[in-house]
Amino acid sequence: MTGNTTDKETLFCDYYTQWVDVYKEGAIRDVTMKKYKLTEAWLSKLIPDLRLADMDRVNYQKLINGYAEYHERQTTMDFHHQLKGAILDAVDEGLIQRDPTRKAIIKGRPPREKKTKYLNQFELHAVLADLDLGTKPSWDWLILLVAKTGLRFSEALGLTPADFDFVHQTLSVSKTWDYKNGGGFVPTKNASSVRKVQLDWQLIMQLSALLKDLPENEPIFVNGKVYNSTANNVLARHCEHAEVPVISIHGLRHTHASLLLFAGVSIASVSKRLGHASMNTTQDTYLHVIRELENKDVDIVMRALSTLI
């Protein structure tokens, strides 16, 4: 790079590592940074000795092909996009003669069979009926709460009794629990994730009894080290017992959103309730539901028009 000893003889792996450190460190979220670090690891495995001067279209395509042998096409596409930013900078600096990513063919393994992401209303009812809701907070209580609010797992873990306003039937989401890194309260995923979620009266009655003697500012569902897999295993057992498709805790969030959309709730309202950064995120995530609703709308429009004669 400009102002250092980088030249055409520099290994591409080293250039990419330095590029990530200079341009990405501190500018992106930790979860995104981990993806760049994974890309670094794959470069060291696939092209450890390739120089910047040798990064042409053929060698770039070989790199993409090598990565695609182990990954699905969409994952390979993400790998390609992560490399492209660094490569275009190297082209601008004259370290690579021409853009080797131009017209690259993105391959990949056939996608795995998609797991069921959400349940329908009857399946969800069967799962909730199987819960054992005792007098103390438990994974079963967390499952009920996520099913009825659409909260992210980390948001549910970050809840304290003080976050509940039983008079106005609302729940304030203002923080999450950093269960992946040893615990502790951390900010929400984005600014839009800070929100108030309306609760139904039945859940309010249940929670007011559950929380009445708990410390106001301590997490309700955290007791020592917390693992997402533990909660998923508990939910899986309930799904199997209720004889419905097995979904994850995050799948409960999808279920919540899908049921609201099918009930006629607007995309804008669902987006706000889920704490999405924009309605585009909601539309992209629930495109399958939206398309199904559009097909129903066509039938409604045709029936309405047929009565005009």
Side-chain angles (χ1 to χ4, degrees), residues 267-287:
I267 293 173
S269 295
V270 173
S271 182
K272 187 176 179 182
R273 189 171 174 88
L274 294 180
H276 280 162
S278 75
M279 276 197 292
N280 289 338
T281 304
T282 316
Q283 287 174 322
D284 291 345
T285 307
Y286 300 102
L287 189 60

Side-chain angles (χ1 to χ4, degrees), residues 137 139 157 177 219-227:
W139 288 123
L157 290 179
W177 187 259
I220 299 163
F221 299 106
V222 176
N223 184 15
K225 188 90 171 94
V226 177
Y227 298 95

Side-chain angles (χ1 to χ4, degrees), residues 139 142-143 153 227-236 249:
W139 288 123
L142 181 136
I143 287 168
F153 180 62
Y227 298 95
N228 183 252
S229 57
T230 309
N232 283 335
N233 289 339
V234 172
L235 177 56
I249 294 289

Side-chain angles (χ1 to χ4, degrees), residues 55-62 64-65 77 80-81 83-85 87-88 91 96-106:
M55 180 55 89
D56 54 19
R57 281 188 64 199
V58 172
N59 281 326
Y60 185 75
Q61 188 64 59
K62 285 180 180 177
I64 292 296
N65 292 352
M77 181 67 80
H80 165 65
H81 284 310
L83 292 174
K84 194 166 184 176
I87 288 173
L88 291 179
V91 172
I96 295 176
Q97 196 170 5
R98 294 188 188 87
D99 176 13
T101 68
R102 190 173 63 87
K103 295 185 179 179
I105 307 299
I106 309 301

